[in-house]
């Protein structure tokens, strides 16, 4: 993907998340000097099958497993410092060196214990099916202009005041919600005092680090979390996450201008999954969903919840190509479909008998749409050993051809398994 013309690349999820971004980023990071997470937080779960074994990363960019790349947690992320150190400790225990390789933005907001408490106690969060990691409440505080930022940890007096007010607010909200749980400001201040000396050495002006890398001729990969249909603006609102998951968010969340970005790669699963509530037009019937779930090991990497499974939805991916400005696609988990006799592909929807070629703006209509399927022949042969496109059965290539034709973007990578070498590069 990287070339003399493409030195700054965004990788985004083009469906509802869990498309296999971690694996693609891990592979591409070999050629990236810097890998930057730009939004979301510990709600994400990026599973990477690296030579040292399987890793699940939540906040640290998946590039950390390539020894030559440096990693950045950008200003657009909401950072849970406790979880961060669990992640760091797990990486160190597995022999990954972090010295000089991790930068945390001074402008990133902190996820505090009361954010997690509010998320897990809120009936609204339950209705949406959030990960209960405090993401929504932390972004609420950010946009309510009362959040605590990483850089504030340098000033204990400021932190003390902000936490005092935040805890008070949280306790009021908990009471309103009928919860008996309460938080203690002094406990949180003590926690931050203990974590600050460990966190501050990583802290820097992350946007400047990215800009300097680009100015110096280096390569930068901006790693998105979740997917376009979970974007707070473009997703299936209100069944979305609280950040800008799409490529536009990469510029703001990494602290660079949009003109610095050269290409955007969208990751799509060869079928569709969603974890949490909200519309999923191409959701399969129980038996077929269970078969996809088992073959694809479709269980949430953060919460362990079974993912809802269904067929490839070209409406969704075409929309994603548009709202992200995707310049290419990576189709992952093709091998999961190896045993199917027939593969439905949704080309468009109907609503009340009328044809729809663009996604409706509201969930009420999305719940009502009828997907219209084209049935493609399956290949019924294992594909995991394919290393070039020509190694794939003809039906699999036909399937991919149809996907890119419907999605209106070219396929640049095809994933046929979890290992690094199971990612086929497609010549442009
Ligand atoms: P939140 O991000 O925890 O607030 O959850 C909001 C919605 O986004 C819920 O439907 C979650 O299941 C979903 N979600 C959040 N993070 C991920 C992810 O990394 N993969 C897939 N779904 C996610
Ligand atoms: Mg995931």
């Amino acid at each position: 993907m990287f070339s003399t013309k493409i030195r700054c690349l965004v990788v985004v999820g083009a469906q509802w998340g869990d498309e296999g971004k971690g694996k693609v980023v891990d592979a591409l990071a070999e050629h990236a000097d810097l890998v930057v997470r730009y939004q979301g937080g510990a709600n994400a779960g990026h599973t990477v099958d690296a030579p040292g074994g399987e890793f699940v990363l939540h906040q640290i960019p998946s590039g950390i497993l390539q020894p030559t790349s440096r990693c950045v947690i950008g200003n657009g992320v909401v950072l849970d410092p406790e979880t961060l150190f669990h992640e760091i400790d797990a990486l160190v225990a597995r022999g990954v060196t972090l010295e000089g390789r991790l930068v945390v933005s001074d402008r990133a907001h902190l996820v505090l214990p009361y954010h997690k408490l509010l998320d897990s106690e809120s009936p609204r969060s339950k209705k949406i099916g959030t990960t209960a990691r405090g993401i929504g409440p932390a972004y609420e505080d950010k946009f309510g202009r009362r959040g605590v930022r990483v850089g504030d940890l340098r000033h204990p007096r400021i932190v003390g005041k902000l936490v005092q007010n935040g805890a008070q607010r949280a306790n009021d909200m908990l009471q309103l919600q009928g919860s008996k749980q309460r938080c203690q400001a002094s406990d949180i201040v003590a926690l931050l005092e203990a974590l600050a000396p460990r966190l501050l050495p990583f802290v820097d002006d992350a946007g400047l680090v990215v800009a300097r890398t680009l100015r110096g001729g280096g390569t930068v990969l901006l790693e998105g979390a979740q997917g376009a249909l979970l974007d707070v603006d473009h997703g299936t609102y209100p069944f979305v996450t609280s950040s800008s998951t799409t490529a536009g968010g990469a510029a703001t969340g990494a602290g660079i201008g949009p003109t610095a970005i050269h290409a955007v790669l969208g990751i799509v699963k060869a079928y569709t999954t969603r974890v949490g509530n909200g519309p999923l037009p191409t959701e399969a019937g129980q038996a077929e969903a269970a078969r996809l779930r088992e073959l694809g090991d479709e269980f949430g990497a953060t919460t362990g919840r079974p993912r809802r499974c269904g067929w490839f939805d070209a409406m969704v991916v075409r929309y994603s190509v548009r709202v992200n400005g995707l310049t290419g696609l990576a189709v992952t988990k093709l091998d999961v479909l190896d045993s199917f006799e027939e593969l439905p592909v949704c080309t468009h929807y109907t609503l009340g008998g009328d044809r729809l070629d663009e996604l409706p703006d509201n969930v009420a209509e999305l719940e009502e749409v009828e997907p219209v399927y084209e049935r493609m022949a399956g290949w019924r042969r294992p594909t995991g050993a394919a290393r070039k496109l020509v190694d794939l059965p003809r039906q699999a290539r036909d399937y991919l051809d149809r996907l890119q034709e419907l999605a209106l973007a070219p396929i640049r990578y095809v994933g046929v398994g979890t290992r690094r070498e199971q990612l086929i590069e497609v010549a442009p």
Side-chain angles (χ1 to χ4, degrees):
M1 263 324 272
F2 289 107
S3 64
T4 44
K5 286 208 181 102
I6 300 176
R7 291 192 299 107
C8 184
L9 169 73
V10 184
V11 175
V12 288
Q15 295 155 321
W16 276 276
D18 307 312
E19 299 90 351
K21 289 176 294 294
K23 189 171 82 82
V24 175
V25 170
D26 168 63
L28 294 177
E30 198 188 332
H31 309 286
D33 297 311
L34 216 57
V35 183
V36 188
R37 261 289 295 276
Y38 61 83
Q39 45 71 230
N43 50 350
H46 292 166
T47 312
V48 184
D49 192 354
E54 189 180 279
F55 280 85
V56 181
L57 295 157
H58 297 286
Q59 303 185 106
I60 298 179
S62 310
I64 202 75
L65 301 174
Q66 290 285 3
T68 51
S69 22
R70 289 172 75 206
C71 289
V72 174
I73 295 178
N75 58 274
V77 170
V78 286
L79 181 76
D80 180 338
E82 280 181 283
T83 315
L84 177 73
F85 288 116
H86 289 148
E87 233 171 291
I88 290 179
D89 292 342
L91 284 166
V92 170
R94 301 276 289 266
V96 179
T97 350
L98 281 129
E99 261 90 72
R101 295 189 53 218
L102 182 67
V103 173
V104 177
S105 169
D106 44 14
R107 290 157 171 89
H109 281 248
L110 290 174
V111 177
L112 298 173
Y114 50 75
H115 295 130
K116 290 186 264 190
L117 193 57
L118 284 169
D119 204 2
S120 58
E121 289 290 291
S122 146
R124 274 285 295 160
S125 292
K126 281 203 185 73
K127 192 171 155 237
I128 305 242
T130 71
T131 60
R133 296 300 188 273
I135 304 300
Y139 278 114
E140 279 180 47
D141 276 355
K142 169 175 175 172
F143 290 100
R145 296 168 293 190
R146 52 179 175 264
V148 186
R149 305 203 298 177
V150 169
D152 293 335
L153 294 175
R154 297 187 185 115
H155 311 286
R157 285 232 329 273
I158 297 178
V159 171
K161 247 199 207 133
L162 286 168
V163 170
Q164 201 73 46
N165 291 338
Q168 178 68 52
R169 251 184 89 83
N171 285 336
D172 292 348
M173 300 260 282
L174 287 165
Q175 183 169 14
L176 268 172
Q177 289 172 0
S179 165
K180 292 212 161 45
Q181 302 255 32
R182 295 291 179 269
C183 62
Q184 269 288 329
S186 53
D187 292 349
I188 299 169
V189 170
L191 174 74
L192 292 179
E193 270 171 9
L195 290 175
R198 235 191 130 186
L199 185 57
L200 285 172
F202 294 108
V203 178
D204 205 341
D205 182 342
L208 183 61
V209 172
V210 179
R212 278 191 179 143
T213 303
L214 287 171
R215 232 182 274 147
T219 48
V220 175
L221 195 161
L222 305 172
E223 176 184 7
Q226 291 87 42
L229 277 291
L230 288 171
D231 184 282
V232 68
D233 284 270
H234 304 297
T236 49
Y237 192 87
F239 297 93
V240 293
T241 191
S242 303
S243 63
S244 299
T245 61
T246 44
T252 348
I256 55 173
T259 48
I261 295 169
H262 303 127
V264 186
L265 180 69
I267 316 299
V268 294
K269 229 176 246 187
Y271 47 102
T272 308
T273 64
R274 166 166 207 166
V275 56
N277 303 326
L280 182 59
T282 61
E283 189 158 16
Q286 233 175 42
E288 280 168 317
R291 187 170 165 200
L292 282 168
R293 185 176 306 119
E294 192 182 324
L295 289 167
D297 193 21
E298 297 294 352
F299 295 89
T302 298
T303 56
R305 292 180 288 178
R307 295 179 185 141
R308 297 158 64 195
C309 298
W311 309 113
F312 188 86
D313 188 340
M315 284 283 275
V316 161
V317 178
R318 203 158 51 225
Y319 175 73
S320 212
V321 168
R322 171 161 64 88
V323 297
N324 282 298
L326 298 184
T327 54
L329 298 174
V331 178
T332 61
K333 299 187 107 168
L334 185 73
D335 57 301
V336 172
L337 303 179
D338 283 351
S339 65
F340 286 81
E341 234 159 276
E342 215 182 43
L343 298 163
V345 171
C346 167
T347 54
H348 60 280
Y349 303 152
T350 60
L351 180 64
D354 295 329
R355 180 183 171 120
L356 285 189
D357 284 293
E358 298 296 334
L359 277 197
D361 67 299
N362 64 88
V363 289
E365 282 180 16
L366 262 175
E367 292 286 10
E368 291 293 308
V369 298
E370 292 281 350
V372 177
Y373 292 107
E374 217 172 78
R375 287 173 194 280
M376 309 258 332
W379 42 94
R380 308 190 64 199
R381 272 207 278 149
T383 54
R387 294 296 173 266
K388 296 189 294 294
L389 214 50
V390 293
D391 299 339
L392 290 172
R394 185 182 48 79
Q395 294 89 334
R397 280 181 282 146
D398 288 347
Y399 184 74
L400 294 170
D401 281 345
R402 189 63 183 137
L403 261 46
Q404 68 178 358
E405 192 173 274
L406 289 166
L408 302 174
I411 295 175
R412 301 298 316 275
Y413 295 91
V414 179
V416 292
T418 58
R419 296 196 311 275
R420 267 181 193 162
E421 66 274 17
Q422 289 178 304
L423 191 66
I424 300 173
E425 189 166 356
V426 181

